[in-house]
Amino acid sequence: MLAPRKTLWSTPRPVLDHVIGLVSPLQPNDVVCDIGCGDGRCILEWATAYSRELLLSKEPSSSGSSANRDDIVDSTESPTTAGFVGLDIDPHRIQHATDALTRARREGTIPASLDVQFHALARARREGTISAALDVQFHCANALERPDLFRERATIVFLYLIPRGLQLIRPLLMLVGTTKEGEDDDCRETDPDDDQIDDDGNAPIPIASRTIISYMAPLPDMPEGTLVRRDKITVQTDTAWPVYVYRVSRTTTTTTRMEKQQQQH
């Protein structure tokens, strides 16, 4: 378990606004992941803010042309979009998040569309494009049992966990540029499981880098140089709480793995 279940704390709005701004604008191949998403508020707010960015990008041009909300979802000429994934182990809170997503799509704050599925996303990342559909998903799952999410999807991870939870999740956060066996992708080729190969015979590929944002507590035992900033966000008068931003890459994980091997010998 990554967080205590007796007391559930929500991320304050000033903190969320700051975090969204830190990684804005999102890139087309970004997948934002909230570990312990609860009722999904952070993911929904993030996706809503991103939807507004997409709409602004489609404002009337000097030539007088314009596009409506449906154009963003359906047109093949629309800008490609980032994805959003919320994970929580509590099925009731995931149901609440899913219901909230349905309402947001119905009200038009988040474009209604079919989700970009796992293999389609992997193929889009390989080809350099992602479907114009805005991908927002919630999963009831233990994040510790989803290494595939960290190897092949999550480029931005938001965490509001207790220190013990951060200690447990840290190894998965370092799965950047690694194959299923955990070795560098350039050094070892692995045979993917049949259920990981899409209809075109393509296997998922590892991501190249990841931004990790931890609210309230720092990640333990992180490699030197991965902490890129530490901000204090004013939540109430005379009250400010820290946000830690880390960046890890294929080079980071390769260096860390080599250092561990040297220590063992």
Side-chain angles (χ1 to χ4, degrees):
M1 188 173 294
L2 300 178
R5 309 311 300 174
K6 291 183 179 180
T7 303
L8 299 174
W9 301 97
S10 297
T11 304
R13 184 56 188 262
V15 173
L16 181 57
D17 289 341
H18 181 77
V19 167
I20 291 174
L22 285 176
V23 295
S24 181
L26 296 176
Q27 300 304 304
N29 66 337
D30 277 329
V31 174
V32 178
C33 184
D34 182 5
I35 303 298
C37 67
D39 61 6
R41 185 178 63 88
C42 289
I43 283 291
L44 293 173
E45 292 284 353
W46 213 320
T48 299
Y50 183 63
S51 298
R52 286 195 292 264
E53 292 181 11
L54 293 182
L55 288 172
L56 289 175
S57 72
K58 300 295 287 185
E59 287 292 318
S61 64
S62 58
S63 62
S65 62
S66 62
N68 59 33
R69 188 183 304 271
D70 291 337
D71 292 330
I72 294 176
V73 177
D74 298 326
S75 173
T76 56
E77 297 180 355
S78 300
T80 56
T81 65
F84 302 85
V85 178
L87 256 66
D88 200 278
I89 201 169
D90 187 335
H92 299 291
R93 291 177 68 77
I94 284 295
Q95 184 60 54
H96 187 101
T98 302
D99 293 342
L101 174 61
T102 300
R103 288 194 300 271
R105 292 201 189 282
R106 184 171 58 244
E107 295 166 0
T109 55
I110 297 175
S113 63
L114 295 175
D115 285 338
V116 180
Q117 296 302 319
F118 174 81
H119 295 310
L121 179 64
R123 183 170 60 252
R125 194 188 303 282
R126 185 182 299 104
E127 296 171 351
T129 60
I130 295 179
S131 167
L134 187 61
D135 177 23
V136 184
Q137 302 177 12
F138 291 106
H139 299 284
C140 182
N142 183 345
L144 298 177
E145 298 174 355
R146 288 297 306 274
D148 59 295
L149 177 67
F150 297 95
R151 275 196 305 266
E152 296 132 8
R153 296 201 65 185
T155 60
I156 299 169
V157 178
F158 178 65
L159 305 163
Y160 182 10
L161 304 176
I162 60 175
R164 177 177 176 272
L166 293 174
Q167 181 75 51
L168 291 172
I169 199 71
R170 190 194 70 81
L172 291 179
L173 296 173
M174 300 301 291
L175 291 178
V176 180
T178 59
T179 59
K180 189 172 182 179
E181 278 71 14
E183 298 190 27
D184 190 84
D185 195 40
D186 289 336
C187 299
R188 179 184 178 93
E189 295 184 358
T190 61
D191 295 327
D193 294 338
D194 290 339
D195 60 0
Q196 289 188 312
I197 299 176
D198 62 26
D199 294 337
D200 295 332
N202 298 314
I205 59 174
I207 61 174
S209 63
R210 171 174 298 126
T211 298
I212 306 164
I213 305 171
S214 179
Y215 172 51
M216 290 296 286
L219 279 166
D221 305 321
M222 289 296 285
E224 184 178 355
T226 55
L227 178 64
V228 295
R229 63 185 295 164
R230 178 184 183 274
D231 301 333
K232 278 202 168 183
I233 313 303
T234 301
V235 177
Q236 299 174 340
T237 304
D238 300 327
T239 303
W241 301 109
V243 170
Y244 302 85
V245 183
Y246 302 85
R247 190 160 293 123
V248 296
S249 65
R250 181 189 299 264
T251 302
T252 305
T253 54
T254 301
T255 301
T256 302
R257 193 177 304 117
M258 292 175 63
E259 290 175 349
K260 288 183 178 180
Q261 291 174 347
Q262 292 175 353
Q263 293 173 359
Q264 292 174 353
H265 293 295

